[in-house]
Amino acid sequence: GAGVSQSPSNKVTEKGKDVELRCDPISGHTALYWYRQSLGQGLEFLIYFQGNSAPDKSGLPSDRFSAERTGGSVSTLTIQRTQQEDSAVYLCASSLPGQTYTFGSGTRLTVV
Amino acid sequence: GIQVEQSPPDLILQEGANSTLRCNFSDSVNNLQWFHQNPWGQLINLFYIPSGTKQNGRLSATTVATERYSLLYISSSQTTDSGVYFCAVNSGNTPLVFGKGTRLSVIA
């Protein structure tokens, strides 16, 4: 597609459940990024994929968070045993190396 | 890691006024981008400007890399300019580091 697509747009889950968030980047973009934005805050880096290199996981806040990128395209961010502090908007972006980022519309996660 | 500071944190403007937003960063960078997040949460890239000056309509940006700052100018502001403006930087092949943003409200 023409832009970065994220699904679902909204997700409400019960505390303790697992959730999967999906990101479909711009075709041909080798770099893919996940960020998290809590209410009224800036963007917090989570994880970065570049081509076939090992992902940079340095921003993942705990081992409940993981992500994969299959075939160098679609990425899934998984949060296990969700907690209320995981509530946030999860944003995905893609780019060519060193170039401008294009962001998706985000997934608003609410843990109740 | 690189630190990014934006000022002011909040700004209220009358429609038609001009403004300058500032971004300071703590280390040398090879990538600097300005983004606008609209009230619906969508982030739009405004400028890719690691150095120099660029203009796009009523917006322009200048980055002085040697002094580690960038400025975003908004002229003749409109209500549609409202939202949060983020500056983000990186060096090497690392992900962008974002500042906390400037929240702009333009009132008619």
Side-chain angles (χ1 to χ4, degrees):
Chain A
V4 177
S5 178
Q6 291 189 245
S7 61
S9 55
N10 281 284
K11 176 72 176 179
V12 180
T13 190
E14 291 181 353
K15 178 181 173 182
K17 300 283 190 183
D18 298 353
V19 295
E20 286 189 351
L21 312 179
R22 177 188 168 103
C23 173
D24 201 340
I26 291 175
S27 178
H29 279 191
T30 55
L32 186 148
Y33 315 84
W34 283 98
Y35 287 82
R36 178 169 72 173
Q37 186 175 28
S38 301
L39 188 63
Q41 302 298 309
L43 275 71
E44 174 191 7
F45 165 70
L46 297 177
I47 187 168
Y48 159 45
F49 296 89
Q50 172 55 55
N52 295 321
S53 302
D56 175 355
K57 304 179 181 180
S58 60
L60 294 178
S62 78
D63 59 7
R64 296 185 296 103
F65 288 72
S66 63
E68 62 177 20
R69 188 179 186 190
T70 54
S73 181
V74 172
S75 177
T76 302
L77 177 69
T78 301
I79 309 173
Q80 296 179 308
R81 305 181 303 281
T82 52
Q83 304 295 313
Q84 288 187 329
E85 61 263 28
D86 300 334
S87 295
V89 176
Y90 289 81
L91 292 159
C92 174
S94 71
S95 76
L96 293 170
Q99 300 302 308
T100 61
Y101 287 25
T102 301
F103 277 87
S105 298
T107 293
R108 182 176 299 277
L109 176 66
T110 304
V111 182
V112 297
Chain B
I2 295 175
Q3 304 296 312
V4 182
E5 291 187 2
Q6 292 187 243
S7 60
D10 295 281
L11 184 60
I12 300 174
L13 294 177
Q14 198 74 38
E15 197 170 28
N18 303 328
S19 65
T20 301
L21 282 57
R22 187 176 180 102
C23 171
N24 292 334
F25 43 95
S26 61
D27 208 342
S28 300
V29 299
N30 57 14
N31 183 356
L32 187 147
Q33 297 181 30
W34 283 96
F35 293 86
H36 175 226
Q37 187 169 40
N38 66 24
W40 297 270
Q42 181 66 50
L43 272 160
I44 303 296
N45 180 273
L46 297 175
F47 294 103
Y48 171 83
I49 187 166
S51 64
T53 297
K54 289 186 178 180
Q55 179 152 9
N56 184 1
R58 295 181 296 103
L59 303 181
S60 64
T62 295
T63 297
V64 184
T66 53
E67 297 188 21
R68 299 181 184 170
Y69 74 89
S70 182
L71 302 174
L72 178 69
Y73 304 97
I74 304 173
S75 64
S76 303
S77 58
Q78 301 177 357
T79 56
T80 51
D81 296 332
S82 296
V84 184
Y85 290 81
F86 288 103
C87 169
V89 303
N90 71 351
S91 62
N93 198 27
T94 58
L96 285 175
V97 175
F98 283 74
K100 294 186 177 181
T102 292
R103 183 173 299 276
L104 174 66
S105 299
V106 181
I107 55 178

